[in-house]
Amino acid sequence: MSGHSTYDFKNPVVRWFDERLPLVSMVRGQLVDFPTPRNLNYWWTFGGILATMLAIQLLTGIVLVMHYTPHAALAFDSVQQIMRDVNWGWLLRWMHANGAAFFFLAVYIHMFRGLYYGSYKAPREVLWMIGVLIFLVMMATAFMGYVLPWGQMSFWAAVVITNLFSAFPVIGEPLVQWLWGGFAVDNPTLQRFFSLHYLLPFVLVGLVILHIWALHVTGNNNPDGIEVKSEQDTLPFHPYYTMKDLFAIVVFLMVYLAFVFYSPWYMGHSINFVPGNPLVTPEHIVPEWYFLPFYAMLRAIPDKLGGVLVMFGSIVVLFFLPWLDRAKVKSLRYRPIARVFFWIFVLVGLTLGVAGSQPPEGAWLLVSRIATAWYFIHFLVILPLLGVIEKPKNVPGSITEAVLARGGH
Ligand code: HEM
């Protein structure tokens, strides 16, 4: 790194600055001139949508903190005060609460896009693994944020989830007490959750920078899963993809804001309007919708430790995905059998989501057991096997060839 810009900036001040710190040329290289495959479809706009949602969560969160009080005796009332007395407080809170849900909606779409087009395969394994790490940190952040309003569901979610760690032999009990900061979920628990809920989004920002750095080393994958071979296969990121991303971001924000303004508690649980009470257990303790598939897996296993291991295992397996699926062809466009199993997997994920919202008994318990088993069979048996036995369709020689064959330009 010479530190010298490769750009010939006309503005003398910009040139002076860039020769000393090549920030402007870096941004130009990464966000303006960056050669991007010409065939990206709208599923590739979700990365930009996710970055937008992360920014919204940070901004609304930082202002909410100015009025929130992280204390077991005051938290619930401080949230009520934000809703009623703080100027625009209701908007900040509904944007933040619904923002979390839409952040997860976008991340699920982003991940399934990766699964469909084989974006996790070489040379993008590290990019994918950083993504899985981001997903884990997002889940921890959302869980701890949900506890902060200290309503009944907040409180009992904290009780149920922290108790999971007691399943580990020997270290279980001391571990849970260490997490609680005492002998029950109480004020110290709320305060540490608050501290971490504030910290982790900044860890996310760091991980997202690494994620995009890794992306810009390998370049984007694309719907045909063919690596870029010549300049003809690409377009400069700006204006082609800046405009496409911007359009998608606006449409996504319109749907999100429709919930914020017209149905802000649609995804919430009414019991959370009751202050948290350790002496009254709600009849059904259910997490937010985005955790339901994992909740179903947790409860599908009759043994507590087994359930915890299966639930965490469902994420751990994603780290190994690049080595479990050995098929050379990336995009499922050219893998008809793997494509069928992909859609079965989507169905299994949705089924787990519904099962997670039901009490774990009778038919739903059976359904969640079958679906949990299928989740692991998909990654550990079907994908490795298909990599060997499936004969893919002929893959075009280049992105340009694939685009022209479909009558594009
Ligand atoms: C805060 C969350 C995240 C942000 C802001 C983010 C951002 C981005 C951006 C801007 C891109 C390039 C545009 C695109 O392909 O959509 C991208 C690509 C990618 N992301 Fe993420 N991402 C996030 C989470 C994740 C997660 C959870 C995973 C997987 C577990 C993941 C896996 C990938 C992969 C594999 C690519 C390469 C896609 C390709 O070129 O085919 N990302 N991400």
Side-chain angles (χ1 to χ4, degrees):
M1 289 270 280
S2 69
H4 284 285
S5 167
T6 48
Y7 288 95
D8 191 14
F9 291 106
K10 294 213 170 51
N11 184 319
V13 179
V14 174
R15 186 177 330 130
W16 177 88
F17 180 81
D18 207 69
E19 276 169 5
R20 283 151 184 83
L21 180 66
L23 203 63
V24 188
S25 48
M26 190 190 81
V27 170
R28 275 198 67 158
Q30 301 295 313
L31 288 174
V32 179
D33 302 333
F34 191 69
T36 314
R38 61 195 284 180
N39 57 341
L40 298 189
N41 56 30
Y42 271 103
W43 300 116
W44 263 260
T45 61
F46 280 86
I49 289 172
L50 280 164
T52 309
M53 293 315 292
L54 180 57
I56 290 178
Q57 290 307 90
L58 275 166
L59 288 174
T60 52
I62 286 170
V63 185
L64 280 170
V65 163
M66 297 173 187
H67 303 277
Y68 170 79
T69 311
H71 189 287
L74 301 167
F76 187 89
D77 291 346
S78 76
V79 173
Q80 292 311 308
Q81 207 207 352
I82 289 172
M83 297 296 288
R84 294 155 200 258
D85 296 341
V86 174
N87 288 344
W88 302 102
W90 59 272
L91 181 59
L92 288 168
R93 187 189 177 205
W94 289 146
M95 281 182 74
H96 199 74
N98 286 282
F102 274 82
F103 201 169
F104 273 94
L105 175 67
V107 95
Y108 281 128
I109 294 174
H110 190 67
M111 290 168 78
F112 276 99
R113 181 284 313 261
L115 291 180
Y116 190 91
Y117 295 111
S119 298
Y120 50 85
K121 295 186 183 205
R124 296 181 184 80
E125 302 95 320
V126 172
L127 166 62
W128 169 260
M129 287 160 79
I130 296 170
V132 180
L133 206 59
I134 289 176
F135 184 52
L136 266 176
V137 177
M138 271 179 71
M139 292 208 282
T141 310
F143 162 64
M144 287 190 273
Y146 189 72
V147 174
L148 301 186
W150 213 243
Q152 268 294 62
M153 201 61 104
S154 301
F155 179 84
W156 287 95
V159 173
V160 171
I161 301 302
T162 51
N163 255 311
L164 293 179
F165 293 92
S166 70
F168 290 104
V170 189
I171 55 157
E173 277 303 319
L175 180 64
V176 173
Q177 288 177 6
W178 180 70
L179 288 174
W180 286 339
F183 300 104
V185 171
D186 207 335
N187 191 46
T189 327
L190 174 61
Q191 294 198 331
R192 60 194 51 199
F193 279 18
F194 171 69
S195 169
L196 293 174
H197 182 70
Y198 205 144
L199 173 73
L200 289 184
F202 294 96
V203 174
L204 273 179
V205 171
L207 288 171
V208 168
I209 291 172
L210 290 182
H211 190 62
I212 294 173
W213 184 5
L215 173 77
H216 282 213
V217 170
T218 61
N220 289 84
N221 182 33
N222 58 82
D224 288 294
I226 308 165
E227 294 300 323
V228 168
K229 301 219 165 77
S230 69
E231 210 180 307
Q232 240 200 334
D233 291 341
T234 66
L235 292 169
F237 190 74
H238 178 74
Y240 296 97
Y241 289 112
T242 42
M243 288 304 121
K244 189 166 181 164
D245 278 0
L246 199 64
F247 175 69
I249 289 168
V250 169
V251 172
F252 189 85
L253 290 184
M254 280 164 68
V255 181
Y256 154 60
L257 290 175
F259 274 85
V260 169
F261 287 114
Y262 296 107
S263 203
W265 200 245
Y266 183 76
M267 291 176 266
H269 301 284
S270 51
I271 191 83
N272 224 27
F273 287 110
V274 177
N277 183 350
L279 301 179
V280 180
T281 316
E283 204 177 336
H284 297 299
I285 303 176
V286 249
E288 297 290 89
W289 66 263
Y290 40 85
F291 288 138
L292 288 174
F294 300 100
Y295 198 50
M297 291 196 219
L298 170 75
R299 300 186 307 172
I301 313 295
D303 172 67
K304 190 172 170 187
L305 180 60
V308 172
L309 292 178
V310 162
M311 185 176 70
F312 285 116
S314 66
I315 310 281
V316 171
V317 77
L318 295 178
F319 279 108
F320 295 99
L321 179 59
W323 297 276
L324 289 167
D325 177 3
R326 313 285 299 179
K328 286 272 174 299
V329 172
K330 289 196 190 86
S331 171
L332 296 189
R333 266 189 187 167
Y334 303 104
R335 298 183 61 197
I337 304 177
R339 194 162 63 216
V340 172
F341 282 103
F342 170 86
W343 288 112
I344 295 175
F345 181 72
V346 172
L347 213 63
V348 164
L350 293 174
T351 307
L352 278 170
V354 179
S357 70
Q358 304 297 319
E361 55 201 22
W364 278 113
L365 183 58
L366 184 67
V367 167
S368 45
R369 286 189 176 153
I370 296 171
T372 302
W374 189 268
Y375 181 97
F376 286 94
I377 290 171
H378 179 82
F379 288 115
L380 300 176
V381 181
I382 294 172
L383 287 185
L385 215 61
L386 282 183
V388 182
I389 60 175
E390 183 181 22
K391 193 174 172 323
K393 288 203 257 179
N394 280 339
V395 180
S398 70
I399 292 174
T400 307
E401 209 181 297
V403 171
L404 294 178
R406 281 194 294 275
H409 40 265

